[in-house]
Amino acid sequence: MGILDGPKNIIAEQAVKSYLNKYGEVKKLDINLSKRTFNAELLLKGEVQPFTLSVSSMEIIEDRDDIFIKVTRMTASREWVNMILKDFVIGKKFSVPEQYKSYVKMIM
């Protein structure tokens, strides 16, 4: 772990929380940028029990002026969420929204 990993993790946590807050409350968040992993406990709007998301492998891809995130391994504590992740998230590239690109560039 490098000397800059601590501040980079804080920046990444703020960006992830800001993005996920529209879906509900981020109860816990642990990010390890050097390993490209994160674990989150979320309480989604309308739900009474939180669930966990774990990303154990992801890539950050820079292509000209665009930045993409590609999750290659991710699981959730709810089976129906795992099915959605397999169908729509795992292995797919997602363009980072403009308002988050500066965060991602700081942590790369």
Side-chain angles (χ1 to χ4, degrees):
M1 184 187 254
I3 194 164
L4 294 177
D5 286 349
K8 286 182 177 183
N9 283 350
I10 291 169
I11 291 167
E13 287 177 11
Q14 289 173 343
V16 169
K17 282 182 180 179
S18 173
Y19 184 77
L20 293 177
N21 276 337
K22 66 183 172 185
Y23 302 108
E25 181 183 352
V26 178
K27 305 290 268 177
K28 293 180 187 172
L29 183 60
D30 178 38
I31 296 176
N32 185 322
L33 290 172
S34 59
K35 292 182 180 178
R36 298 268 196 248
T37 64
F38 85 80
N39 296 295
E41 183 177 292
L42 307 168
L43 180 59
L44 298 178
K45 293 178 180 178
E47 295 288 322
V48 294
Q49 294 292 323
F51 78 102
T52 59
L53 279 177
S54 296
V55 173
S56 56
S57 179
M58 69 176 181
E59 302 172 33
I60 299 174
I61 304 160
E62 198 168 10
D63 184 15
R64 297 185 188 162
D65 292 334
D66 214 349
I67 299 173
F68 299 91
I69 293 179
K70 180 179 177 182
V71 175
T72 52
R73 283 193 302 249
M74 184 178 198
T75 58
S77 62
R78 294 201 179 133
E79 187 56 33
W80 67 269
V81 176
N82 280 320
M83 293 169 62
I84 290 171
L85 294 173
K86 286 177 186 170
D87 288 346
F88 299 105
V89 177
I90 297 171
K92 307 216 178 12
K93 282 188 348 183
F94 295 92
S95 182
V96 174
E98 195 64 42
Q99 67 266 32
Y100 297 107
K101 284 182 182 178
S102 60
Y103 289 116
V104 175
K105 285 184 179 186
M106 282 190 269
I107 63 174
M108 289 178 72

